[in-house]
Amino acid sequence: MKKVIATDKAPTAIGPYSQAIEANGFVFASGQIPVNPATGEIPEGIEAQTKQVMENVKNLLAAAGASLDDVVKTSVFIKDMNDFGTVNGIYAEYFKGDCPARACVEVARLPKDVLVEMEAIAVKP
């Protein structure tokens, strides 16, 4: 069985997909971009955008009854690999201890022309 996870504490889906799906003890969080769910605004700069993405992922996981500590895999998409160090530093502020497995790739373009997007898979406690 699968369960759709939805919250107003993370951006609403901008296409035919769910914010997250819970299935077989896992939470699969769709890619989160740096949209402030309260205002719909996108902050300027890679630091602010990365922090907003991390908050969106954290809030989406909380809606599913999970946390960043439960994440086992992330995929990070960045517009410019020169921002890797900045993204990595902020990422490390949110994931402490046993960090999840991760892929980080540079992409040509992201939705709404943002600079960073992240998806996550967590094990439900």
Side-chain angles (χ1 to χ4, degrees):
M1 278 183 52
K2 70 178 183 177
K3 176 182 173 186
V4 173
I5 306 298
T7 180
D8 61 359
K9 305 266 191 237
T12 58
I14 56 175
Y17 61 90
S18 299
Q19 286 175 302
I21 296 289
E22 181 182 334
N24 297 325
F26 288 93
V27 177
F28 299 88
S30 292
Q32 295 297 298
I33 60 174
V35 173
N36 181 315
T39 66
E41 295 178 4
I42 298 170
E44 293 290 324
I46 190 63
E47 287 184 28
Q49 286 196 16
T50 303
K51 287 177 183 176
Q52 185 65 60
V53 164
M54 296 304 301
E55 289 297 319
N56 291 345
V57 170
K58 182 173 78 170
N59 292 338
L60 186 52
L61 291 171
S67 74
L68 292 173
D69 291 338
D70 303 313
V71 175
V72 295
K73 171 73 167 79
T74 64
S75 296
V76 181
F77 309 96
I78 56 178
K79 174 87 169 131
D80 185 346
M81 194 55 79
N82 291 318
D83 291 330
F84 179 82
T86 301
V87 171
N88 205 42
I90 294 165
Y91 183 96
E93 293 173 13
Y94 285 84
F95 290 109
K96 299 182 188 299
D98 294 332
C99 295
R102 180 180 80 179
C104 183
V105 295
E106 180 181 87
V107 295
R109 194 167 181 201
L110 291 164
K112 298 187 179 261
D113 290 317
V114 300
L115 303 174
V116 61
E117 178 176 359
M118 186 175 88
E119 63 183 20
I121 301 170
V123 177
K124 184 126 183 228

